[in-house]
Amino acid sequence: MLFDVAITISLKKGVLDTQGKAVAASLHGMGYETLKEIRVGRFVEAVVEAPDSVQARSLAAGLCDDLLVNDLIEESRIEVKSR
Amino acid sequence: MLFDVAITISLKKGVLDTQGKAVAASLHGMGYETLKEIRVGRFVEAVVEAPDSVQARSLAAGLCDDLLVNDLIEESRIEVKSR
């Protein structure tokens, strides 16, 4: 079976987000004063083949552990949907 | 009122995702043969001040139009939650 996997990767709270700071400074410079905070992360969409959704989720967790997520400074959220 | 805004930014279908191709090649090299496709986008979390959720959403759309999203090649999805 094929599954759609969506992985949202964000910096952990407390980790300095230099990209977010730069984006915030630009947007404030454009007049977005009511923007209080902004943090930039990554969004990964994958299609995987697995016998069931449990194994699709564990495969996605493997993708995160082995390559996609630096768990020292990042946290991730995995959503799995069958196609 | 403060609102949490989550913006998911993905490449439009048909746009070559060089980053996704590189990630897929690495993961296949690690043995993830059942990974059929992978695309890498961005995930932006912001806190904005607005009178109501409608104006919070339109402010978020402005952030996308003015800086965050290149609408020639990217599409975005905005979620707004009050704090």
Side-chain angles (χ1 to χ4, degrees), chain A residues 22-58:
Chain A
V23 167
S26 301
L27 290 167
H28 285 145
M30 291 174 169
Y32 286 100
E33 299 310 334
T34 58
L35 171 67
K36 299 302 173 195
E37 186 188 323
I38 195 161
R39 294 175 72 79
V40 179
R42 284 170 294 135
F43 179 65
V44 177
E45 295 170 285
V47 177
V48 300
E49 190 164 355
D52 54 50
S53 64
V54 171
Q55 293 196 42
R57 178 174 293 277
S58 94

PDB file of all heavy atoms in Angstrom, chain A residues 22-58:
ATOM      1  N   ALA A  22      15.991  36.922  10.754  1.00  0.00           N
ATOM      2  CA  ALA A  22      16.206  37.687   9.515  1.00  0.00           C
ATOM      3  C   ALA A  22      14.865  37.946   8.822  1.00  0.00           C
ATOM      4  O   ALA A  22      14.589  39.066   8.369  1.00  0.00           O
ATOM      5  CB  ALA A  22      17.141  36.911   8.595  1.00  0.00           C
ATOM      6  N   VAL A  23      14.013  36.935   8.783  1.00  0.00           N
ATOM      7  CA  VAL A  23      12.703  37.091   8.143  1.00  0.00           C
ATOM      8  C   VAL A  23      11.877  38.125   8.908  1.00  0.00           C
ATOM      9  O   VAL A  23      11.248  39.010   8.325  1.00  0.00           O
ATOM     10  CB  VAL A  23      11.976  35.728   8.092  1.00  0.00           C
ATOM     11  CG1 VAL A  23      10.509  35.890   7.728  1.00  0.00           C
ATOM     12  CG2 VAL A  23      12.683  34.806   7.095  1.00  0.00           C
ATOM     13  N   ALA A  24      11.921  38.039  10.240  1.00  0.00           N
ATOM     14  CA  ALA A  24      11.154  38.993  11.056  1.00  0.00           C
ATOM     15  C   ALA A  24      11.635  40.415  10.805  1.00  0.00           C
ATOM     16  O   ALA A  24      10.821  41.338  10.631  1.00  0.00           O
ATOM     17  CB  ALA A  24      11.291  38.638  12.536  1.00  0.00           C
ATOM     18  N   ALA A  25      12.939  40.598  10.740  1.00  0.00           N
ATOM     19  CA  ALA A  25      13.481  41.953  10.524  1.00  0.00           C
ATOM     20  C   ALA A  25      13.010  42.497   9.170  1.00  0.00           C
ATOM     21  O   ALA A  25      12.591  43.661   9.062  1.00  0.00           O
ATOM     22  CB  ALA A  25      15.007  41.912  10.591  1.00  0.00           C
ATOM     23  N   SER A  26      13.008  41.649   8.145  1.00  0.00           N
ATOM     24  CA  SER A  26      12.558  42.103   6.820  1.00  0.00           C
ATOM     25  C   SER A  26      11.083  42.484   6.855  1.00  0.00           C
ATOM     26  O   SER A  26      10.675  43.533   6.345  1.00  0.00           O
ATOM     27  CB  SER A  26      12.746  40.992   5.780  1.00  0.00           C
ATOM     28  OG  SER A  26      14.086  40.620   5.697  1.00  0.00           O
ATOM     29  N   LEU A  27      10.282  41.625   7.477  1.00  0.00           N
ATOM     30  CA  LEU A  27       8.839  41.889   7.508  1.00  0.00           C
ATOM     31  C   LEU A  27       8.516  43.123   8.347  1.00  0.00           C
ATOM     32  O   LEU A  27       7.657  43.925   7.983  1.00  0.00           O
ATOM     33  CB  LEU A  27       8.098  40.656   8.027  1.00  0.00           C
ATOM     34  CG  LEU A  27       8.095  39.470   7.050  1.00  0.00           C
ATOM     35  CD1 LEU A  27       7.621  38.188   7.738  1.00  0.00           C
ATOM     36  CD2 LEU A  27       7.240  39.769   5.821  1.00  0.00           C
ATOM     37  N   HIS A  28       9.243  43.301   9.446  1.00  0.00           N
ATOM     38  CA  HIS A  28       9.024  44.537  10.239  1.00  0.00           C
ATOM     39  C   HIS A  28       9.406  45.741   9.387  1.00  0.00           C
ATOM     40  O   HIS A  28       8.716  46.755   9.392  1.00  0.00           O
ATOM     41  CB  HIS A  28       9.839  44.495  11.532  1.00  0.00           C
ATOM     42  CG  HIS A  28       9.265  43.586  12.569  1.00  0.00           C
ATOM     43  ND1 HIS A  28      10.037  42.853  13.446  1.00  0.00           N
ATOM     44  CD2 HIS A  28       7.977  43.241  12.840  1.00  0.00           C
ATOM     45  CE1 HIS A  28       9.261  42.131  14.231  1.00  0.00           C
ATOM     46  NE2 HIS A  28       8.016  42.343  13.888  1.00  0.00           N
ATOM     47  N   GLY A  29      10.479  45.598   8.619  1.00  0.00           N
ATOM     48  CA  GLY A  29      10.890  46.701   7.733  1.00  0.00           C
ATOM     49  C   GLY A  29       9.848  47.006   6.673  1.00  0.00           C
ATOM     50  O   GLY A  29       9.778  48.114   6.139  1.00  0.00           O
ATOM     51  N   MET A  30       9.000  46.017   6.365  1.00  0.00           N
ATOM     52  CA  MET A  30       7.937  46.209   5.368  1.00  0.00           C
ATOM     53  C   MET A  30       6.656  46.724   6.026  1.00  0.00           C
ATOM     54  O   MET A  30       5.623  46.854   5.359  1.00  0.00           O
ATOM     55  CB  MET A  30       7.624  44.870   4.679  1.00  0.00           C
ATOM     56  CG  MET A  30       8.708  44.354   3.789  1.00  0.00           C
ATOM     57  SD  MET A  30       8.227  42.697   3.214  1.00  0.00           S
ATOM     58  CE  MET A  30       9.462  42.435   1.944  1.00  0.00           C
ATOM     59  N   GLY A  31       6.725  46.944   7.355  1.00  0.00           N
ATOM     60  CA  GLY A  31       5.569  47.529   8.028  1.00  0.00           C
ATOM     61  C   GLY A  31       4.708  46.543   8.801  1.00  0.00           C
ATOM     62  O   GLY A  31       3.665  46.912   9.336  1.00  0.00           O
ATOM     63  N   TYR A  32       5.112  45.305   8.893  1.00  0.00           N
ATOM     64  CA  TYR A  32       4.319  44.306   9.612  1.00  0.00           C
ATOM     65  C   TYR A  32       4.620  44.378  11.112  1.00  0.00           C
ATOM     66  O   TYR A  32       5.162  43.447  11.707  1.00  0.00           O
ATOM     67  CB  TYR A  32       4.594  42.902   9.056  1.00  0.00           C
ATOM     68  CG  TYR A  32       3.967  42.669   7.708  1.00  0.00           C
ATOM     69  CD1 TYR A  32       4.709  42.754   6.534  1.00  0.00           C
ATOM     70  CD2 TYR A  32       2.594  42.405   7.608  1.00  0.00           C
ATOM     71  CE1 TYR A  32       4.112  42.563   5.304  1.00  0.00           C
ATOM     72  CE2 TYR A  32       1.996  42.201   6.368  1.00  0.00           C
ATOM     73  CZ  TYR A  32       2.764  42.279   5.223  1.00  0.00           C
ATOM     74  OH  TYR A  32       2.164  42.096   3.990  1.00  0.00           O
ATOM     75  N   GLU A  33       4.246  45.498  11.727  1.00  0.00           N
ATOM     76  CA  GLU A  33       4.555  45.709  13.157  1.00  0.00           C
ATOM     77  C   GLU A  33       3.795  44.737  14.045  1.00  0.00           C
ATOM     78  O   GLU A  33       4.242  44.420  15.137  1.00  0.00           O
ATOM     79  CB  GLU A  33       4.189  47.156  13.562  1.00  0.00           C
ATOM     80  CG  GLU A  33       4.962  48.231  12.805  1.00  0.00           C
ATOM     81  CD  GLU A  33       6.479  47.976  12.810  1.00  0.00           C
ATOM     82  OE1 GLU A  33       6.966  47.305  13.754  1.00  0.00           O
ATOM     83  OE2 GLU A  33       7.146  48.369  11.843  1.00  0.00           O
ATOM     84  N   THR A  34       2.626  44.233  13.577  1.00  0.00           N
ATOM     85  CA  THR A  34       1.836  43.347  14.449  1.00  0.00           C
ATOM     86  C   THR A  34       2.328  41.898  14.390  1.00  0.00           C
ATOM     87  O   THR A  34       1.727  40.998  14.984  1.00  0.00           O
ATOM     88  CB  THR A  34       0.343  43.389  14.057  1.00  0.00           C
ATOM     89  OG1 THR A  34       0.238  42.996  12.692  1.00  0.00           O
ATOM     90  CG2 THR A  34      -0.228  44.782  14.235  1.00  0.00           C
ATOM     91  N   LEU A  35       3.401  41.683  13.670  1.00  0.00           N
ATOM     92  CA  LEU A  35       4.069  40.368  13.685  1.00  0.00           C
ATOM     93  C   LEU A  35       4.913  40.295  14.944  1.00  0.00           C
ATOM     94  O   LEU A  35       5.864  41.054  15.108  1.00  0.00           O
ATOM     95  CB  LEU A  35       4.947  40.211  12.450  1.00  0.00           C
ATOM     96  CG  LEU A  35       5.865  38.981  12.430  1.00  0.00           C
ATOM     97  CD1 LEU A  35       5.035  37.703  12.334  1.00  0.00           C
ATOM     98  CD2 LEU A  35       6.854  39.076  11.285  1.00  0.00           C
ATOM     99  N   LYS A  36       4.566  39.403  15.868  1.00  0.00           N
ATOM    100  CA  LYS A  36       5.270  39.359  17.159  1.00  0.00           C
ATOM    101  C   LYS A  36       6.464  38.400  17.112  1.00  0.00           C
ATOM    102  O   LYS A  36       7.481  38.638  17.754  1.00  0.00           O
ATOM    103  CB  LYS A  36       4.312  38.897  18.274  1.00  0.00           C
ATOM    104  CG  LYS A  36       3.125  39.815  18.461  1.00  0.00           C
ATOM    105  CD  LYS A  36       3.575  41.238  18.792  1.00  0.00           C
ATOM    106  CE  LYS A  36       2.432  42.207  18.810  1.00  0.00           C
ATOM    107  NZ  LYS A  36       2.911  43.615  18.779  1.00  0.00           N
ATOM    108  N   GLU A  37       6.315  37.311  16.368  1.00  0.00           N
ATOM    109  CA  GLU A  37       7.372  36.280  16.393  1.00  0.00           C
ATOM    110  C   GLU A  37       7.244  35.448  15.128  1.00  0.00           C
ATOM    111  O   GLU A  37       6.125  35.272  14.621  1.00  0.00           O
ATOM    112  CB  GLU A  37       7.125  35.399  17.617  1.00  0.00           C
ATOM    113  CG  GLU A  37       8.163  34.357  17.933  1.00  0.00           C
ATOM    114  CD  GLU A  37       7.691  33.419  19.052  1.00  0.00           C
ATOM    115  OE1 GLU A  37       7.028  33.890  19.998  1.00  0.00           O
ATOM    116  OE2 GLU A  37       7.968  32.217  18.922  1.00  0.00           O
ATOM    117  N   ILE A  38       8.376  34.956  14.605  1.00  0.00           N
ATOM    118  CA  ILE A  38       8.291  34.064  13.437  1.00  0.00           C
ATOM    119  C   ILE A  38       9.449  33.083  13.502  1.00  0.00           C
ATOM    120  O   ILE A  38      10.561  33.434  13.907  1.00  0.00           O
ATOM    121  CB  ILE A  38       8.294  34.868  12.111  1.00  0.00           C
ATOM    122  CG1 ILE A  38       7.844  33.990  10.941  1.00  0.00           C
ATOM    123  CG2 ILE A  38       9.620  35.538  11.842  1.00  0.00           C
ATOM    124  CD1 ILE A  38       7.393  34.809   9.732  1.00  0.00           C
ATOM    125  N   ARG A  39       9.164  31.824  13.217  1.00  0.00           N
ATOM    126  CA  ARG A  39      10.181  30.772  13.229  1.00  0.00           C
ATOM    127  C   ARG A  39      10.048  29.971  11.940  1.00  0.00           C
ATOM    128  O   ARG A  39       8.934  29.676  11.497  1.00  0.00           O
ATOM    129  CB  ARG A  39      10.011  29.854  14.448  1.00  0.00           C
ATOM    130  CG  ARG A  39      10.287  30.588  15.758  1.00  0.00           C
ATOM    131  CD  ARG A  39      10.006  29.716  16.957  1.00  0.00           C
ATOM    132  NE  ARG A  39      10.966  28.652  17.167  1.00  0.00           N
ATOM    133  CZ  ARG A  39      12.162  28.827  17.722  1.00  0.00           C
ATOM    134  NH1 ARG A  39      12.562  30.039  18.060  1.00  0.00           N
ATOM    135  NH2 ARG A  39      12.980  27.807  17.913  1.00  0.00           N
ATOM    136  N   VAL A  40      11.187  29.665  11.323  1.00  0.00           N
ATOM    137  CA  VAL A  40      11.174  28.991  10.025  1.00  0.00           C
ATOM    138  C   VAL A  40      11.691  27.567  10.189  1.00  0.00           C
ATOM    139  O   VAL A  40      12.772  27.354  10.757  1.00  0.00           O
ATOM    140  CB  VAL A  40      12.055  29.766   9.012  1.00  0.00           C
ATOM    141  CG1 VAL A  40      12.065  29.054   7.666  1.00  0.00           C
ATOM    142  CG2 VAL A  40      11.561  31.201   8.855  1.00  0.00           C
ATOM    143  N   GLY A  41      10.897  26.604   9.674  1.00  0.00           N
ATOM    144  CA  GLY A  41      11.309  25.195   9.738  1.00  0.00           C
ATOM    145  C   GLY A  41      11.158  24.571   8.365  1.00  0.00           C
ATOM    146  O   GLY A  41      11.069  25.275   7.350  1.00  0.00           O
ATOM    147  N   ARG A  42      11.080  23.246   8.342  1.00  0.00           N
ATOM    148  CA  ARG A  42      10.962  22.550   7.057  1.00  0.00           C
ATOM    149  C   ARG A  42       9.714  21.678   7.017  1.00  0.00           C
ATOM    150  O   ARG A  42       9.217  21.252   8.072  1.00  0.00           O
ATOM    151  CB  ARG A  42      12.210  21.682   6.822  1.00  0.00           C
ATOM    152  CG  ARG A  42      13.417  22.525   6.399  1.00  0.00           C
ATOM    153  CD  ARG A  42      14.693  21.722   6.397  1.00  0.00           C
ATOM    154  NE  ARG A  42      15.046  21.321   7.752  1.00  0.00           N
ATOM    155  CZ  ARG A  42      15.437  20.095   8.070  1.00  0.00           C
ATOM    156  NH1 ARG A  42      15.498  19.139   7.168  1.00  0.00           N
ATOM    157  NH2 ARG A  42      15.758  19.816   9.319  1.00  0.00           N
ATOM    158  N   PHE A  43       9.222  21.453   5.799  1.00  0.00           N
ATOM    159  CA  PHE A  43       8.035  20.633   5.598  1.00  0.00           C
ATOM    160  C   PHE A  43       8.366  19.613   4.516  1.00  0.00           C
ATOM    161  O   PHE A  43       8.712  19.966   3.390  1.00  0.00           O
ATOM    162  CB  PHE A  43       6.869  21.525   5.149  1.00  0.00           C
ATOM    163  CG  PHE A  43       5.602  20.770   4.890  1.00  0.00           C
ATOM    164  CD1 PHE A  43       4.951  20.117   5.935  1.00  0.00           C
ATOM    165  CD2 PHE A  43       5.055  20.688   3.615  1.00  0.00           C
ATOM    166  CE1 PHE A  43       3.781  19.413   5.711  1.00  0.00           C
ATOM    167  CE2 PHE A  43       3.890  19.990   3.382  1.00  0.00           C
ATOM    168  CZ  PHE A  43       3.247  19.348   4.431  1.00  0.00           C
ATOM    169  N   VAL A  44       8.337  18.341   4.877  1.00  0.00           N
ATOM    170  CA  VAL A  44       8.719  17.277   3.935  1.00  0.00           C
ATOM    171  C   VAL A  44       7.492  16.429   3.620  1.00  0.00           C
ATOM    172  O   VAL A  44       6.792  15.974   4.528  1.00  0.00           O
ATOM    173  CB  VAL A  44       9.833  16.394   4.543  1.00  0.00           C
ATOM    174  CG1 VAL A  44      10.177  15.240   3.610  1.00  0.00           C
ATOM    175  CG2 VAL A  44      11.071  17.239   4.839  1.00  0.00           C
ATOM    176  N   GLU A  45       7.229  16.255   2.325  1.00  0.00           N
ATOM    177  CA  GLU A  45       6.126  15.395   1.884  1.00  0.00           C
ATOM    178  C   GLU A  45       6.747  14.188   1.182  1.00  0.00           C
ATOM    179  O   GLU A  45       7.602  14.355   0.295  1.00  0.00           O
ATOM    180  CB  GLU A  45       5.218  16.139   0.893  1.00  0.00           C
ATOM    181  CG  GLU A  45       4.498  17.321   1.508  1.00  0.00           C
ATOM    182  CD  GLU A  45       3.806  18.164   0.453  1.00  0.00           C
ATOM    183  OE1 GLU A  45       4.521  18.908  -0.262  1.00  0.00           O
ATOM    184  OE2 GLU A  45       2.571  18.062   0.342  1.00  0.00           O
ATOM    185  N   ALA A  46       6.329  13.002   1.600  1.00  0.00           N
ATOM    186  CA  ALA A  46       6.895  11.800   0.985  1.00  0.00           C
ATOM    187  C   ALA A  46       5.775  10.822   0.650  1.00  0.00           C
ATOM    188  O   ALA A  46       4.687  10.869   1.228  1.00  0.00           O
ATOM    189  CB  ALA A  46       7.892  11.149   1.951  1.00  0.00           C
ATOM    190  N   VAL A  47       6.069   9.958  -0.309  1.00  0.00           N
ATOM    191  CA  VAL A  47       5.182   8.837  -0.622  1.00  0.00           C
ATOM    192  C   VAL A  47       5.977   7.574  -0.324  1.00  0.00           C
ATOM    193  O   VAL A  47       7.109   7.412  -0.824  1.00  0.00           O
ATOM    194  CB  VAL A  47       4.747   8.849  -2.112  1.00  0.00           C
ATOM    195  CG1 VAL A  47       3.886   7.625  -2.418  1.00  0.00           C
ATOM    196  CG2 VAL A  47       4.011  10.145  -2.444  1.00  0.00           C
ATOM    197  N   VAL A  48       5.434   6.721   0.538  1.00  0.00           N
ATOM    198  CA  VAL A  48       6.162   5.505   0.909  1.00  0.00           C
ATOM    199  C   VAL A  48       5.257   4.296   0.694  1.00  0.00           C
ATOM    200  O   VAL A  48       4.028   4.396   0.734  1.00  0.00           O
ATOM    201  CB  VAL A  48       6.623   5.537   2.391  1.00  0.00           C
ATOM    202  CG1 VAL A  48       7.537   6.711   2.666  1.00  0.00           C
ATOM    203  CG2 VAL A  48       5.456   5.511   3.355  1.00  0.00           C
ATOM    204  N   GLU A  49       5.894   3.158   0.474  1.00  0.00           N
ATOM    205  CA  GLU A  49       5.153   1.897   0.355  1.00  0.00           C
ATOM    206  C   GLU A  49       5.344   1.110   1.654  1.00  0.00           C
ATOM    207  O   GLU A  49       6.484   0.980   2.135  1.00  0.00           O
ATOM    208  CB  GLU A  49       5.688   1.093  -0.829  1.00  0.00           C
ATOM    209  CG  GLU A  49       4.809  -0.104  -1.148  1.00  0.00           C
ATOM    210  CD  GLU A  49       5.105  -0.688  -2.535  1.00  0.00           C
ATOM    211  OE1 GLU A  49       5.922  -0.102  -3.284  1.00  0.00           O
ATOM    212  OE2 GLU A  49       4.498  -1.699  -2.837  1.00  0.00           O
ATOM    213  N   ALA A  50       4.228   0.650   2.224  1.00  0.00           N
ATOM    214  CA  ALA A  50       4.315  -0.108   3.478  1.00  0.00           C
ATOM    215  C   ALA A  50       3.074  -0.982   3.601  1.00  0.00           C
ATOM    216  O   ALA A  50       2.025  -0.673   3.023  1.00  0.00           O
ATOM    217  CB  ALA A  50       4.382   0.860   4.671  1.00  0.00           C
ATOM    218  N   PRO A  51       3.189  -2.086   4.366  1.00  0.00           N
ATOM    219  CA  PRO A  51       2.051  -2.995   4.514  1.00  0.00           C
ATOM    220  C   PRO A  51       0.850  -2.336   5.217  1.00  0.00           C
ATOM    221  O   PRO A  51      -0.300  -2.625   4.922  1.00  0.00           O
ATOM    222  CB  PRO A  51       2.600  -4.141   5.352  1.00  0.00           C
ATOM    223  CG  PRO A  51       4.079  -4.011   5.312  1.00  0.00           C
ATOM    224  CD  PRO A  51       4.387  -2.573   5.049  1.00  0.00           C
ATOM    225  N   ASP A  52       1.153  -1.432   6.185  1.00  0.00           N
ATOM    226  CA  ASP A  52       0.058  -0.763   6.903  1.00  0.00           C
ATOM    227  C   ASP A  52       0.547   0.589   7.416  1.00  0.00           C
ATOM    228  O   ASP A  52       1.741   0.911   7.307  1.00  0.00           O
ATOM    229  CB  ASP A  52      -0.430  -1.641   8.074  1.00  0.00           C
ATOM    230  CG  ASP A  52       0.732  -2.030   9.004  1.00  0.00           C
ATOM    231  OD1 ASP A  52       1.490  -1.133   9.416  1.00  0.00           O
ATOM    232  OD2 ASP A  52       0.922  -3.233   9.276  1.00  0.00           O
ATOM    233  N   SER A  53      -0.361   1.362   8.025  1.00  0.00           N
ATOM    234  CA  SER A  53       0.002   2.738   8.403  1.00  0.00           C
ATOM    235  C   SER A  53       0.996   2.756   9.563  1.00  0.00           C
ATOM    236  O   SER A  53       1.812   3.669   9.676  1.00  0.00           O
ATOM    237  CB  SER A  53      -1.252   3.533   8.764  1.00  0.00           C
ATOM    238  OG  SER A  53      -1.859   2.970   9.900  1.00  0.00           O
ATOM    239  N   VAL A  54       0.939   1.726  10.408  1.00  0.00           N
ATOM    240  CA  VAL A  54       1.885   1.678  11.530  1.00  0.00           C
ATOM    241  C   VAL A  54       3.316   1.567  10.987  1.00  0.00           C
ATOM    242  O   VAL A  54       4.221   2.280  11.411  1.00  0.00           O
ATOM    243  CB  VAL A  54       1.571   0.492  12.476  1.00  0.00           C
ATOM    244  CG1 VAL A  54       2.683   0.318  13.507  1.00  0.00           C
ATOM    245  CG2 VAL A  54       0.220   0.706  13.153  1.00  0.00           C
ATOM    246  N   GLN A  55       3.484   0.698   9.985  1.00  0.00           N
ATOM    247  CA  GLN A  55       4.834   0.531   9.422  1.00  0.00           C
ATOM    248  C   GLN A  55       5.220   1.733   8.572  1.00  0.00           C
ATOM    249  O   GLN A  55       6.392   2.095   8.479  1.00  0.00           O
ATOM    250  CB  GLN A  55       4.905  -0.781   8.650  1.00  0.00           C
ATOM    251  CG  GLN A  55       4.776  -1.965   9.624  1.00  0.00           C
ATOM    252  CD  GLN A  55       5.217  -3.268   9.002  1.00  0.00           C
ATOM    253  OE1 GLN A  55       6.225  -3.322   8.291  1.00  0.00           O
ATOM    254  NE2 GLN A  55       4.449  -4.316   9.246  1.00  0.00           N
ATOM    255  N   ALA A  56       4.235   2.390   7.977  1.00  0.00           N
ATOM    256  CA  ALA A  56       4.528   3.616   7.222  1.00  0.00           C
ATOM    257  C   ALA A  56       5.043   4.682   8.190  1.00  0.00           C
ATOM    258  O   ALA A  56       6.019   5.376   7.910  1.00  0.00           O
ATOM    259  CB  ALA A  56       3.272   4.106   6.511  1.00  0.00           C
ATOM    260  N   ARG A  57       4.403   4.783   9.351  1.00  0.00           N
ATOM    261  CA  ARG A  57       4.830   5.766  10.364  1.00  0.00           C
ATOM    262  C   ARG A  57       6.233   5.436  10.868  1.00  0.00           C
ATOM    263  O   ARG A  57       7.087   6.314  11.015  1.00  0.00           O
ATOM    264  CB  ARG A  57       3.844   5.814  11.525  1.00  0.00           C
ATOM    265  CG  ARG A  57       4.248   6.765  12.641  1.00  0.00           C
ATOM    266  CD  ARG A  57       3.154   6.881  13.705  1.00  0.00           C
ATOM    267  NE  ARG A  57       1.974   7.542  13.137  1.00  0.00           N
ATOM    268  CZ  ARG A  57       1.858   8.870  13.044  1.00  0.00           C
ATOM    269  NH1 ARG A  57       2.832   9.655  13.475  1.00  0.00           N
ATOM    270  NH2 ARG A  57       0.774   9.409  12.533  1.00  0.00           N
ATOM    271  N   SER A  58       6.518   4.148  11.078  1.00  0.00           N
ATOM    272  CA  SER A  58       7.852   3.830  11.621  1.00  0.00           C
ATOM    273  C   SER A  58       8.914   4.057  10.557  1.00  0.00           C
ATOM    274  O   SER A  58      10.035   4.466  10.849  1.00  0.00           O
ATOM    275  CB  SER A  58       7.859   2.409  12.195  1.00  0.00           C
ATOM    276  OG  SER A  58       8.303   1.498  11.254  1.00  0.00           O
TER     277      SER A  58
END
